[in-house]
């Protein structure tokens, strides 16, 4: 079947495939640099394990070890991903020229100048994250620590990150989404649940007192139900993060990571719930298996449902980022598969007759709504996806993996 034929099949559902393609090309998705090196970054000893409630598993060969390697790998991945991309950096990916190392509380925009050049040359915007983990100053708490000196260090890190985010937004001419997540919490039943949360709240207040234009720098508060080693309690729970964002809606937005909830909760349903109150939200799209395992995003039911809600509520109100890290497979392929799957889910959502579905619901015609939704599942999506890849100048399915295999043979396999 050709795209023309597929288009007429969608037209019969009242859907304009050309419009769906054009709409998707205008939705930015942030590609996380940390899939390329198992979240290690460049500012701490790479032989030390990750700490702070997150974990990568696997030791597939070819992890990027330097900024040059990470940029080269990203370049391969970016070419395999259709659509509008932003880069998502963590503070730990600072680049220190001539051995001028700086600790996290002293990071400056200049430490990200090579990343700005990288983004400029590729027409990318850039999002940013303070790194409150895998560092000797985690005691192991950070922003919620009872230790004044620890807290001071991490508040200063957060403020430095606001300044860096300001710089990224300004240099790249696109807003910078800056996400605050800490793994602060306890392995076992706490003696005081309130103290850490009150300190966390005050610490975020201080970070956000650094000046920024909220249209340019968009701080987010990410919640999490539990983490590795902090199974009993996290300071930044869902209620904490949401309440913080709600009480500070002129300064920040809430961020939901779909790996950070109880296994039967779904973020797709939470999107319109939050957007009934917040003008904007942010998402980390990942794939939890039994826990926040951060597997590569698939073209699966919940990813598709998340994207349907993004499309129905207005993609301009949702800042979309990927957040997964699989160290057990080729990392360039992991980037490409996850990014392409999110694009597929967005495209298939854009190929829904949104107005018609609303009408059917509002008129109580749930029978026809079910029939329509089910029949759409076998509409010729693949042809529209191929056409989308073609207009984006990206390879179609079946036409990109050999490039990864070749890169692995020529470059990645030689890193050991
Ligand atoms: C951890 C959070 C957080 C991190 C990244 C690296 O559970 O999801 O967003 O994955 O900041
Ligand atoms: Zn996340």
């Amino acid at each position: 079947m050709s795209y023309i034929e597929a288009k007429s099949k969608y037209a019969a559902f009242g859907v304009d495939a050309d419009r769906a393609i054009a709409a998707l090309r205008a939705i930015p998705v942030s590609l996380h640099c940390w899939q390329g090196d198992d979240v290690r970054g460049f500012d701490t000893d790479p032989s030390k394990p990750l700490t702070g409630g997150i974990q990568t598993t696997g030791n597939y060969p070819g992890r990027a070890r330097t900024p040059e390697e990470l940029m080269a790998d990203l370049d391969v991945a970016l070419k395999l991903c259709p659509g509008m991309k932003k880069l998502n950096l963590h503070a730990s990916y600072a680049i220190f020229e001539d051995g001028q190392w700086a600790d996290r509380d002293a990071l400056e925009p200049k430490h990200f100048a090579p990343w700005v050049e990288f983004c400029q040359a590729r027409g990318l915007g850039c999002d940013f994250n303070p790194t409150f983990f895998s560092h000797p100053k985690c005691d192991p708490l950070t922003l919620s620590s009872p230790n004044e000196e620890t807290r001071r260090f991490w508040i200063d890190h957060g403020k430095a990150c606001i300044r860096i985010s300001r710089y990224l937004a300004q240099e790249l001419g696109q807003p910078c989404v800056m996400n605050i997540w800490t793994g602060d919490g306890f392995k076992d039943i706490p003696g005081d649940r309130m103290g850490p949360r009150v300190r966390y709240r005050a610490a975020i207040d201080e970070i956000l007192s650094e000046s920024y234009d909220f249209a340019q720098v968009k701080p987010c508060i990410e919640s999490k139900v539990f983490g590795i080693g902090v199974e009993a309690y996290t300071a930044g729970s869902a209620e904490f993060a949401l309440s913080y964002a709600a009480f500070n809606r002129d300064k920040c937005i809430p961020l939901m990571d779909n790996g950070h909830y109880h296994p039967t909760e779904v973020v797709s349903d939470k999107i319109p719930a939050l957007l009934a109150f917040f003008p904007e939200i942010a998402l980390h799209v990942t794939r939890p298996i039994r826990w926040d395992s951060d597997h590569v995003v698939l073209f699966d039911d919940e990813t598709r449902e998340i994207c349907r809600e993004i499309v129905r509520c207005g993609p301009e109100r949702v800042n979309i980022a990927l957040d997964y890290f699989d160290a057990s497979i080729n990392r360039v392929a992991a980037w490409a598969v996850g990014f392409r799957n999110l694009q597929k889910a967005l495209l298939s959502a854009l190929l829904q007759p949104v107005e018609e579905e609303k009408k059917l619901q509002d008129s109580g015609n749930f029978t026809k709504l079910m029939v329509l939704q089910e029949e759409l599942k076998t509409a010729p999506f693949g042809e529209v996806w191929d056409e989308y890849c073609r207009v984006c100048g990206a390879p179609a399915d079946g036409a990109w993996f050999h490039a990864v295999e070749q890169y692995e043979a020529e470059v990645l396999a030689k890193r050991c």
Side-chain angles (χ1 to χ4, degrees), residues 179 181 222 255 257 260 284 294 323:
N179 180 45
W181 172 76
E222 180 180 16
L255 185 146
D257 179 312
H260 290 190
H284 274 179
D294 289 295
D323 181 17

Side-chain angles (χ1 to χ4, degrees), residues 34 129 179 181 222-224 255-260 283-286 292 294 322-325:
W34 51 92
N129 304 259
N179 180 45
W181 172 76
E222 180 180 16
S223 67
K224 188 163 175 173
L255 185 146
M256 295 189 289
D257 179 312
N258 63 305
H260 290 190
L283 295 181
H284 274 179
V285 184
T286 187
D292 181 41
D294 289 295
L322 291 166
D323 181 17
Y324 55 79
F325 23 94

Side-chain angles (χ1 to χ4, degrees), residues 68 74 187 250 284 291 369 392:
E68 294 71 27
L74 271 166
K187 181 184 171 78
D250 54 334
H284 274 179
W291 65 289
L369 178 61
C392 291

Side-chain angles (χ1 to χ4, degrees), residues 42-44 67 91-104 106-108 110-112 114:
F42 309 128
D43 72 336
T44 50
S92 53
Y93 291 80
I95 297 176
F96 305 110
E97 314 269 1
D98 318 314
Q100 298 286 297
W101 180 82
D103 210 345
R104 290 196 188 155
L107 287 173
E108 291 177 55
K110 70 174 184 197
H111 299 123
F112 294 86

Side-chain angles (χ1 to χ4, degrees), residues 258-415:
N258 63 305
H260 290 190
Y261 297 86
H262 292 285
T264 57
E265 285 184 83
V266 281
V267 161
S268 50
D269 183 66
K270 298 176 194 292
I271 293 169
L274 263 54
L275 287 174
F277 296 91
F278 293 95
E280 250 182 77
I281 61 167
L283 295 181
H284 274 179
V285 184
T286 187
R287 179 165 54 104
I289 297 192
R290 307 190 198 287
W291 65 289
D292 181 41
S293 58
D294 289 295
H295 282 65
V296 175
V297 169
L298 300 183
F299 184 47
D300 57 15
D301 285 351
E302 174 56 3
T303 308
R304 296 177 67 168
E305 204 57 32
I306 286 173
C307 290
R308 285 167 87 179
E309 287 306 330
I310 294 172
V311 165
R312 287 169 176 158
C313 297
E316 65 291 342
R317 300 180 64 194
V318 184
N319 297 279
I320 312 169
L322 291 166
D323 181 17
Y324 55 79
F325 23 94
D326 191 335
S328 75
I329 58 174
N330 180 300
R331 295 169 184 80
V332 175
W335 264 322
V337 174
F339 193 94
R340 291 172 69 93
N341 281 336
L342 190 72
Q343 293 276 307
K344 282 182 184 172
L346 284 167
L347 183 60
S348 86
L350 287 160
L351 290 164
Q352 308 267 318
V354 172
E355 290 308 318
E356 173 70 8
E357 290 179 353
K358 271 189 205 163
K359 256 192 233 147
L360 290 172
Q361 175 172 312
D362 292 346
S363 62
N365 198 342
F366 296 104
T367 314
K368 193 168 176 194
L369 178 61
M370 181 192 277
V371 171
L372 174 64
Q373 289 185 332
E374 287 308 293
E375 293 195 345
L376 262 167
K377 287 182 180 168
T378 48
F381 174 69
E383 280 70 23
V384 185
W385 169 250
D386 285 352
E387 174 68 5
Y388 174 68
C389 291
R390 194 188 64 75
V391 299
C392 291
D397 285 5
W400 61 269
F401 187 59
H402 67 91
V404 175
E405 287 178 308
Q406 194 181 343
Y407 187 65
E408 177 167 301
E410 287 169 8
V411 180
L412 302 177
K414 294 180 180 149
R415 292 180 192 163

